[in-house]
């Protein structure tokens, strides 16, 4: 009897087990996206929902890679990255094309460059750094002045982690093989180190600069590390592909407790955190630890009816969880577009529900478009071709729009003459017709619109106590002649903005003007309402002004308020100027300009100069009577100077007068408009001081 000759066989690789299906995770996505939408639409508070997404994404990514590593399967990183970004970029591409169309149709051209920069950043998953570079304040809340792509920062952070985390996991696998130990302890050490370092930096950076810290990838890595450590803690590498159930009632009870505590922490986060609380820092531990607790609870008590997982497995939450990515993508641009079109600051409940419904509809439409896109000839060849084609589909129109914004100059060919840009001359009734020309200054020029302060004082000439706390500026006769008079200006940025017309008056009159300025420190007497450094600065400038014995002191005597009563006398002002009056030095007390609850510059850019929002009632901007008049009546040498009739009409305080933006933000007059106030400032100063005789 003959036996068959044995043949060599190849043992097939052990298949990588799939993770046990956990509907609670999809339900947690649903909770997170509903929190994000609700608190974006109806509040200006951080919801914590994005932080939950960070933990979840790292948990799933790390679990998948850990199973492959522990079963000896190749990681195939290029293929993973190509598949992942081809899947993620499709919906982003549809969104970016829609936002580009909306930008050209609805947004003012002055905002196009900013929006295009954010679109490019979103396409390449770096928009969080673009927003940080643009000094965008996430905490400013939702408004028409906010960009429709600001929410893309979180997807950029995730995209960067999807590049970094596989490399870190592969490095841990290589280190484990080299040291001859198991993979999981090495990965634990690595992610624990990332968690510790990133959390520590998050605390420091959030305290030092919360706006930039909010968008930073470095301040967020610890949230992903937390999800990765949760994945490593669970027994997901069993050959059967299912997590072993806990064998003790104690574990099941612990799982139930963890689940409910985690869900409670997530839901409580936006309600317990005040509007002034800064993220991420340690505050973000609440939603991230809550998400981690739910991840662990699902392994300890997967099928307990009393567990939080039962709630998270409910059909409505599953439904929203299935659509969470698309809803997140679409809700924010829809919200900003709604605020832009309606010129509202708040969203009624029905409108908010409509935004959520529209987000769902656009999510479904996006899915249909992408299904058709993937079916096109050539696109079906693979994820790599689809990724490149999708990126080009967005990059080409973005490039065209970008080139158009570079070539477009709305003020090109328009002479900046008093005839074209009369400014305050309109209210002086010096002109009969306002030409139809582009408004100035442009957004690109806005940062140069602070007052014309002159030159910095020589260090040796700066009085003690001023240089360390504020700034000293000097205006002198250009021809080098001896000044006819010397004036001292004391105060904050509102005193600085006056220096543009005062500078021109000084040049015409041959005056010397010395300014002692500190931002957010209006000149007055020592007050508990001022911080210690402001009080020290005011005391130092008071002493310096008295020693200089100038011909006059210039200050701002009132403080405008965004809300009612809209204006008041500066606290302690009369006591603050009394030393000058006692020394026989006359004081010019200028009335403050209006202050608004919003950026007037952005209002004009967004809605145009004729919109009602950009022309608030004068009665809602300042008091009917100047509060300084009563104080000035008590002192012979205290003179009130009021420019309100050159900033407001009889009924409104416009954002644009004579083709010039009056304000560079919510309360500072542009230097360009200040130039047109020169005749008024000169006449009223000379008249008040009796120097025109």
């Amino acid at each position: 009897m003959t036996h068959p000759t044995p043949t060599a066989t190849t043992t097939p690789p052990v298949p990588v087990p799939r993770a046990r299906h956990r509907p609670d995770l999809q339900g947690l996505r649903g909770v997170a996206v509903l929190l994000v939408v609700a608190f974006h639409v109806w509040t200006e508070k951080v919801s914590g929902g994005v932080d939950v997404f960070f933990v979840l994404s790292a948990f799933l990514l790390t679990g998948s890679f850990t199973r492959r590593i522990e079963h000896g399967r190749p990681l195939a990183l290029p293929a993973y990255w190509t598949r992942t970004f081809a899947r993620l970029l499709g919906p982003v591409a549809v969104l970016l094309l829609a936002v580009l169309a909306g930008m050209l149709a609805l947004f003012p051209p002055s905002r196009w460059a900013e929006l295009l920069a954010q679109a490019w950043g979103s396409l390449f998953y770096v928009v969080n750094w673009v927003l940080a570079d643009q000094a965008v304040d996430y905490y400013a809340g939702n408004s028409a002045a906010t960009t429709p792509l600001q929410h893309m920062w979180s997807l950029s952070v995730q995209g960067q982690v999807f590049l970094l985390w596989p490399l870190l996991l592969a490095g841990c696998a290589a280190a484990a093989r080299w040291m001859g130990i198991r993979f999981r302890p090495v990965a634990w050490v690595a992610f624990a180190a990332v968690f510790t370092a990133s959390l520590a930096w998050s605390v420091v950076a959030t305290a030092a600069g919360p706006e930039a810290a909010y968008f930073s990838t470095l301040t967020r890595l610890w949230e992903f590390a937390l999800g990765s450590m949760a994945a490593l803690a669970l027994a997901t590498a069993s050959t059967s592909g299912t997590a072993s159930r806990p064998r003790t009632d104690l574990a099941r009870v612990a799982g139930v407790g963890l689940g409910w505590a985690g869900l409670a922490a997530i839901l409580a986060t936006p309600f317990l955190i005040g509007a002034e609380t800064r993220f991420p820092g340690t505050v973000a531990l609440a939603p991230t630890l809550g998400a981690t607790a739910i991840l662990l609870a699902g392994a300890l008590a997967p099928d307990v009816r009393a567990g939080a997982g039962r709630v998270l497995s409910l059909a409505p939450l599953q439904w929203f969880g299935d659509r969470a990515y698309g809803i997140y993508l679409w809700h924010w641009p829809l919200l900003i577009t709604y605020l832009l079109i309606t010129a509202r600051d708040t969203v009624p409940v029905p409108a908010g529900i409509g935004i959520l419904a529209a987000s769902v509809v656009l999510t479904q439409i996006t899915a249909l478009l992408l299904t058709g896109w993937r079916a096109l000839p050539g696109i079906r060849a693979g994820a790599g071709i689809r990724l490149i084609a999708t990126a080009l589909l967005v990059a080409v129109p973005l490039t065209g729009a970008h080139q158009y914004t570079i070539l477009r100059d709305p003020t090109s060919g328009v002479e900046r003459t008093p005839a074209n840009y009369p400014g305050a001359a309109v209210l002086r009734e010096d002109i009969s017709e306002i030409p139809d020309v582009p408004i100035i200054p442009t957004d690109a020029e806005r940062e140069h619109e602070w007052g014309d302060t002159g030159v910095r004082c020589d260090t040796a000439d700066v009085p003690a106590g001023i240089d360390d706390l504020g700034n000293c500026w000097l205006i002198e006769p250009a021809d080098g002649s001896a000044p006819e008079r010397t004036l001292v200006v004391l105060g904050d940025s509102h005193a600085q903005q006056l220096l543009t017309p005062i500078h021109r008056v000084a040049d015409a009159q041959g005056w010397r003007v010395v300014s002692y300025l500190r931002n957010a420190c209006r000149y007055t007497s020592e007050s508990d309402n001022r911080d210690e450094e402001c009080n020290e600065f005011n005391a130092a400038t008071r002493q310096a002004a008295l020693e200089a014995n100038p011909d006059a002191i210039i200050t701002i005597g009132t403080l405008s308020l965004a809300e009612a009563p809209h204006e008041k006398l500066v606290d302690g002002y009369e006591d603050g100027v009394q030393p000058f009056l006692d020394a026989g030095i006359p004081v010019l007390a200028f009335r403050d300009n209006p202050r608004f609850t919003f950026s007037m510059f952005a209002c004009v850019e967004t809605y145009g100069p004729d919109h009602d929002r950009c022309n608030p009632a004068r009665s809602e901007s300042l008091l009917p009577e100047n509060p300084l008049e009563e104080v000035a009546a008590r002192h012979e040498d205290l003179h009130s100077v009021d420019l309100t009739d050159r900033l407001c009409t009889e009924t409104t305080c416009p954002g644009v007068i004579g083709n010039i933006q009056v304000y560079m933000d919510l309360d500072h007059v542009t230097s360009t408009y200040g130039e047109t106030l020169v005749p008024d400032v000169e006449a009223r100063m000379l008249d008040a001081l009796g120097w025109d005789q």
Side-chain angles (χ1 to χ4, degrees):
M1 181 177 180
T2 61
H3 298 278
T5 303
T7 59
T9 61
T10 301
T11 303
V14 178
V16 178
R18 291 184 176 272
R20 176 178 61 87
H21 175 63
R22 291 186 52 177
D24 59 325
L25 301 190
Q26 201 70 342
L28 186 55
R29 281 196 183 96
V31 170
V33 77
L34 289 175
L35 281 175
V36 168
V37 173
F39 281 85
H40 276 170
V41 170
W42 289 302
T43 78
E44 295 181 357
K45 298 174 66 176
V46 175
S47 68
V50 167
D51 306 270
V52 173
F53 284 130
F54 287 169
V55 174
L56 267 175
S57 61
F59 174 80
L60 296 172
L61 185 155
T62 304
S64 174
F65 272 81
T66 297
R67 289 188 294 275
R68 296 189 69 86
I69 290 169
E70 293 186 339
H71 284 77
R73 298 300 298 274
L75 298 183
L77 297 187
Y80 163 79
W81 285 324
T82 302
R83 289 194 310 272
T84 298
F85 284 101
R87 174 175 54 84
L88 294 176
L89 190 60
V92 170
V94 177
L95 174 77
L96 292 178
L97 291 174
V99 168
L100 179 61
M103 179 195 82
L104 297 173
L106 300 173
F107 283 81
S110 58
R111 298 187 63 188
W112 290 357
E114 174 192 32
L115 290 172
L116 286 173
Q118 293 180 18
W120 281 112
S122 299
L123 180 62
F124 292 105
Y125 289 87
V126 293
V127 76
N128 61 313
W129 298 113
V130 173
L131 292 166
D133 182 65
Q134 291 177 343
V136 171
D137 183 4
Y138 183 87
Y139 305 99
N142 48 19
S143 70
T146 308
T147 74
L149 293 174
Q150 182 171 299
H151 70 311
M152 295 295 291
W153 73 270
S154 64
L155 299 183
S156 290
V157 171
Q158 279 190 307
Q160 293 161 36
V161 168
F162 288 158
L163 288 173
L164 174 63
W165 247 229
L167 293 174
L168 182 57
L169 288 162
C172 290
R177 288 194 300 269
W178 180 71
M179 291 184 290
I181 60 176
R182 294 175 59 243
F183 160 77
R184 207 171 295 208
V186 177
W188 255 103
V189 172
F191 286 113
V194 172
F195 174 86
T196 304
S198 175
L199 179 58
W201 175 245
S202 181
V203 172
V204 173
T206 301
E211 290 79 12
Y214 193 94
F215 298 117
S216 173
T217 305
L218 300 178
T219 62
R220 300 288 185 165
L221 289 179
W222 66 269
E223 303 183 43
F224 293 92
L226 194 58
S228 294
M229 289 190 290
L232 293 169
L234 300 182
T236 55
S238 62
T239 56
S240 64
T242 59
S244 58
R245 294 187 178 183
R247 298 179 180 178
T248 66
D249 291 337
L250 179 61
R252 297 170 72 84
V253 171
V256 171
L258 273 176
W260 284 115
L263 185 58
I266 292 170
L267 295 176
T269 295
F271 296 100
L272 298 179
I273 295 173
E276 299 301 318
T277 305
R278 293 312 191 222
F279 253 64
T282 56
V283 184
L285 282 167
T288 52
L289 287 177
T292 305
I294 290 175
L295 297 178
L296 298 177
L300 292 172
D303 299 317
V304 177
R305 295 181 62 86
R310 296 285 293 184
V311 173
L312 294 173
S313 299
L314 292 175
L317 291 180
Q318 296 288 302
W319 191 87
F320 279 107
D322 291 341
R323 295 157 179 80
Y325 183 50
I327 292 172
Y328 181 85
L329 279 176
W330 285 107
H331 85 282
W332 184 262
L334 289 173
L335 169 62
I336 301 306
T337 302
Y338 170 83
L339 294 172
L340 177 71
I341 293 173
T342 62
R344 298 180 62 100
D345 292 321
T346 58
V347 181
V349 171
I353 295 173
I355 289 172
L356 175 59
S359 301
V360 172
V361 171
L362 287 172
T363 297
Q364 299 297 99
I365 293 174
T366 301
L368 291 174
L369 289 173
L370 293 176
T371 299
W373 171 247
R374 287 191 290 267
L376 292 176
I379 301 300
R380 289 176 291 180
I385 293 178
R386 189 166 71 250
L387 177 61
I388 295 172
T390 303
L392 288 175
L393 185 67
V394 178
V396 170
L398 281 183
T399 300
H402 186 75
Q403 290 301 314
Y404 176 69
T405 60
I406 293 175
L407 296 175
R408 180 186 178 277
D409 181 3
T411 62
S412 176
V414 179
E415 290 187 81
R416 297 199 176 188
T417 62
N420 285 331
Y421 297 99
V426 172
L427 300 181
R428 288 195 296 270
E429 299 182 350
D430 293 344
I431 65 167
S432 58
E433 185 177 350
I434 303 174
D436 183 15
V437 296
I439 295 167
I440 61 170
T442 65
D443 185 64
E445 297 167 334
R446 181 159 47 152
E447 63 182 278
H448 305 295
E449 286 297 314
W450 298 98
D452 186 355
T453 55
V455 299
R456 285 191 178 275
C457 304
D458 290 338
T459 304
D461 296 333
V462 179
I466 292 178
D467 202 25
D468 293 337
L469 298 172
N471 296 289
C472 175
W473 300 94
L474 182 63
I475 298 169
E476 291 190 295
D479 59 5
S481 61
E484 294 290 330
R485 300 181 187 275
T486 296
L487 294 83
V488 172
V489 178
L490 306 178
D492 55 7
S493 57
H494 282 229
Q496 179 178 337
Q497 70 189 15
L498 272 176
L499 284 173
T500 294
I502 289 174
H503 194 156
R504 305 299 173 262
V505 175
D507 289 344
Q509 297 288 335
W511 295 344
R512 181 175 187 265
V513 181
V514 182
S515 306
Y516 301 129
L517 306 174
R518 174 182 170 86
N519 285 338
C521 183
R522 192 149 300 187
Y523 176 77
T524 187
S525 61
E526 184 171 350
S527 171
D528 292 337
N529 295 328
R530 303 288 191 280
D531 60 54
E532 182 179 350
E533 289 187 341
C534 180
N535 281 326
E536 291 178 4
F537 180 75
N538 280 336
T541 59
R542 186 181 306 116
Q543 182 63 33
L546 287 170
E547 292 177 358
N549 192 29
D551 295 283
I553 300 287
I554 297 175
T555 63
I556 305 291
T558 62
L559 179 67
S560 58
L561 306 169
E563 305 289 351
H566 305 298
E567 184 181 18
K568 68 175 184 176
L569 194 69
V570 172
D571 294 337
Y573 179 76
E574 192 169 5
D575 290 338
V577 299
Q578 191 64 53
F580 306 129
L581 301 176
D582 291 342
I585 304 172
V587 176
L588 288 178
F590 277 80
R591 188 183 190 183
D592 202 2
N593 57 266
R595 184 186 307 256
F596 309 100
T597 58
F598 53 88
S599 169
M600 183 61 81
F601 193 98
C603 181
V604 172
E605 295 256 288
T606 304
Y607 301 113
D610 298 326
H611 197 282
D612 289 344
R613 180 178 176 85
C614 310
N615 292 270
R618 178 168 172 166
S619 61
E620 297 176 0
S621 302
L622 294 171
L623 291 174
E625 302 294 333
N626 182 0
L628 282 167
E629 294 298 332
E630 182 180 349
V631 181
R634 295 196 291 267
H635 303 277
E636 182 180 357
D637 285 335
L638 179 59
H639 309 285
S640 171
V641 181
D642 191 349
L643 296 173
T644 302
D645 61 336
R646 298 296 181 257
L647 298 168
C648 304
T649 69
E650 290 294 326
T651 57
T652 64
C653 292
V656 172
I657 299 174
N659 292 328
I660 299 177
Q661 287 259 32
V662 181
Y663 304 94
M664 60 185 296
D665 47 27
L666 55 84
D667 66 327
H668 292 97
V669 176
T670 63
S671 184
T672 301
Y673 190 78
E675 294 276 2
T676 70
L677 291 171
V678 172
D680 306 291
V681 171
E682 182 171 35
R684 295 177 192 192
M685 286 179 63
L686 294 176
D687 179 64
L689 294 167
W691 294 352
D692 58 345
Q693 300 174 357

